[in-house]
Amino acid sequence: MKALDKSISSISLQEEHLINAMQALGDKTRFKMFKIMQTNKQMCVSEIAQELGISVPAVSQNFRIMELVGLVDKQRFGQRMCYQLKPNDPLIKKLVKIT
């Protein structure tokens, strides 16, 4: 049996980022949130919750996952937590084009 080329069998950091992003967006709620975020520069948790008809805690949990995989940045405005897609991330730009 022929050995695999090392470059094919190893995963780069960019590919790891892609895998994590795809896993996060494999959830229907997070995918919907990603789509909504594409048309708005910044949205707060309560706005997304209202748009999707789900609870604020559910949206917050999904945003935490999206933040962990590097899809969004957050900013606090008093009691409100708002998020936006990472504007300068090349992967985010590609995912926006695909979706």
Side-chain angles (χ1 to χ4, degrees):
M1 191 175 219
K2 190 175 179 181
L4 288 175
D5 182 352
K6 190 84 166 161
S7 64
I8 294 172
S9 63
S10 63
I11 296 175
S12 71
L13 289 176
Q14 291 171 331
E15 291 169 326
E16 187 75 33
H17 185 42
L18 173 63
I19 291 166
N20 291 334
M22 290 171 54
Q23 286 175 333
L25 295 177
D27 176 85
K28 287 181 184 180
T29 299
R30 286 190 291 273
F31 184 78
K32 289 175 187 177
M33 291 168 62
F34 186 80
K35 294 282 288 178
I36 292 168
M37 298 297 292
Q38 291 176 29
T39 58
N40 297 285
K41 292 204 181 273
Q42 188 174 66
M43 290 188 78
C44 296
V45 173
S46 58
E47 295 169 322
I48 295 281
Q50 184 176 13
E51 179 83 20
L52 293 177
I54 61 176
S55 71
V56 169
V59 172
S60 292
Q61 179 62 32
N62 282 299
F63 267 134
R64 268 188 232 106
I65 292 167
M66 293 172 76
E67 183 181 15
L68 283 173
V69 300
L71 294 174
V72 295
D73 288 325
K74 70 179 176 182
Q75 188 172 4
R76 180 177 291 280
F77 295 100
Q79 294 294 320
R80 297 173 58 141
M81 188 62 73
C82 300
Y83 292 83
Q84 69 178 24
L85 294 178
K86 288 195 169 190
N88 299 319
D89 188 320
L91 175 61
I92 304 301
K93 290 178 182 179
K94 288 177 185 175
L95 290 171
V96 167
K97 284 182 183 178
I98 291 170
T99 58

